[in-house]
Amino acid sequence: MSDPTKDKAQTEPRVIPQEAFDWYDEYAHGLIDRREFFSRLSGLVALGFTMTTLTSALIPNYAAAEQVSFNDPAIKASYVKFDSPKGHGAGQGYLVVPRELKGTAPVVLVIHENRGLNPYIKDVTRRLAMKGFVAFAPDALYPLGGYPGNDDEGRAMQKSMDKAKIEEDFLAAATFLKSHELSNGKLGAVGFCFGGYVVNMLAATIPDQLDAGVPFYGTPAAVDLRKNVKGPLVVQLGSLDKRVNATWPDYEAELKAIGADYTMYMYEGANHGFHNDSTGRYSEPDAELAWTRTVDFFADKLKA
């Protein structure tokens, strides 16, 4: 007698089609709604995939992705408020400091995606502290009570907010962090997706305050601001990220025209979100290489 479980495992397709990852990107960025996203996935079910397999690969599972525990004895984490007079009045973020820090250190602003300060971004912040940086990750959703615990609600909350005020909050956070008592006066910023856009925006808005920026798969700042970019920037892109990559040629042409200091790395076969180890879009070799480049870049550019 055959084993139904074994038969199912043998007949289910092993490689999820690229269009599923593209649909998730559209869904995550508000180009299609949840109903349309799952309607499209149902077409893949007809081809032999289970909905569980598809959603497990596409939707973040933060519990399985923690690299540095919040209890790690090498770091000290806390929530810290800062003033944002041009934004929402006040902001709050996750500050992580090397426990054995003596004196000051380079500071790095960590900027989340379009859904608030989720566990993945907090883990990235801890990873930076483990490398000797003072890392600070603001939560854009703080004025509404903070990240709600799930991405769908967080995404809806962030979409409901005034984008200009959110940007002012991150500008205020950058100023707060650069002048922090633990700062050596050198400010870096790394961001992912929406956070990548914010890094580009900071580079164009406060070019003399930002000493090093790393936008992961982020769109450029507004056209009228781009002429202000000085860098240095390390731009991290995945070759399968059609939406963001479509903006790169014009942005690169502008960076070249103004003599900005930048380096772009394109990771072949990598999706948007390839650094996020909580989803099936994660590409470990690309993520590790991109992260090594990021840390080395900050270590070089943020020396006192």
Side-chain angles (χ1 to χ4, degrees):
M1 184 174 179
S2 65
D3 182 344
T5 303
K6 183 177 180 181
D7 291 345
K8 182 178 180 181
Q10 290 176 337
T11 58
E12 183 172 312
R14 298 181 64 183
V15 179
I16 295 176
Q18 178 59 37
E19 62 245 48
F21 294 98
D22 295 339
W23 296 337
Y24 179 77
D25 185 63
E26 292 181 49
Y27 165 57
H29 295 91
L31 301 178
I32 60 174
D33 61 19
R34 184 180 180 86
R35 181 187 297 272
E36 175 64 20
F37 174 55
F38 277 93
S39 174
R40 293 183 185 184
L41 290 185
S42 67
L44 297 180
V45 172
L47 296 178
F49 289 96
T50 67
M51 188 61 76
T52 298
T53 296
L54 294 169
T55 56
S56 295
L58 298 172
I59 297 175
N61 177 8
Y62 294 123
E66 184 178 76
Q67 293 190 23
V68 181
S69 170
F70 67 91
N71 283 322
D72 193 296
I75 58 174
K76 180 171 61 176
S78 61
Y79 291 94
V80 178
K81 293 181 173 60
F82 59 93
D83 293 329
S84 181
K86 294 182 180 179
H88 290 93
Q92 179 174 280
Y94 184 62
L95 181 71
V96 189
V97 178
R99 189 173 292 276
E100 299 302 320
L101 177 64
K102 306 295 182 184
T104 62
V107 296
V108 179
L109 192 69
V110 184
I111 307 166
H112 60 66
E113 309 111 320
N114 65 339
R115 44 198 177 270
L117 182 57
N118 59 47
Y120 156 65
I121 296 297
K122 292 170 76 173
D123 193 59
V124 169
T125 310
R126 294 192 293 268
R127 294 176 208 174
L128 282 165
M130 292 290 285
K131 296 295 185 179
F133 301 98
V134 171
F136 185 57
D139 188 355
L141 303 185
Y142 173 71
L144 300 183
Y147 177 70
N150 72 83
D151 281 8
D152 278 351
E153 189 177 346
R155 189 179 299 113
M157 289 168 66
Q158 189 161 324
K159 188 176 180 180
S160 75
M161 299 174 73
D162 185 326
K163 183 180 178 182
K165 286 191 174 183
I166 291 177
E167 291 179 4
E168 289 292 348
D169 288 341
F170 281 108
L171 285 163
T175 299
F176 162 79
L177 184 59
K178 190 177 179 87
S179 61
H180 194 278
E181 63 181 4
L182 297 178
S183 170
N184 71 354
K186 295 288 188 176
L187 171 68
V190 60
F192 306 86
C193 186
F194 168 77
Y197 157 76
V198 173
V199 173
N200 285 322
M201 182 274 294
L202 294 174
T205 307
I206 53 170
D208 294 324
Q209 294 183 51
L210 185 66
D211 299 290
V214 183
F216 275 77
Y217 27 84
T219 54
V223 173
D224 61 331
L225 292 176
R226 297 177 200 173
K227 63 183 181 293
N228 301 321
V229 175
K230 295 180 180 179
L233 296 175
V234 167
V235 178
Q236 314 266 28
L237 299 173
S239 69
L240 300 179
D241 188 358
K242 298 176 184 178
R243 179 180 57 84
V244 171
N245 292 351
T247 69
W248 175 245
D250 286 346
Y251 188 29
E252 182 176 39
E254 291 171 285
L255 293 175
K256 286 181 176 179
I258 60 178
D261 181 357
Y262 78 94
T263 301
M264 186 275 283
Y265 294 107
M266 181 69 74
Y267 299 86
E268 292 300 322
N271 276 289
H272 182 90
F274 70 83
H275 183 266
N276 188 332
D277 53 352
S278 69
T279 79
R281 297 175 297 164
Y282 176 58
S283 172
E284 183 173 3
D286 296 318
E288 291 298 322
L289 177 56
W291 189 243
T292 296
R293 286 170 168 166
T294 298
V295 172
D296 289 349
F297 176 62
F298 285 150
D300 179 46
K301 301 299 182 182
L302 302 181
K303 297 174 185 175

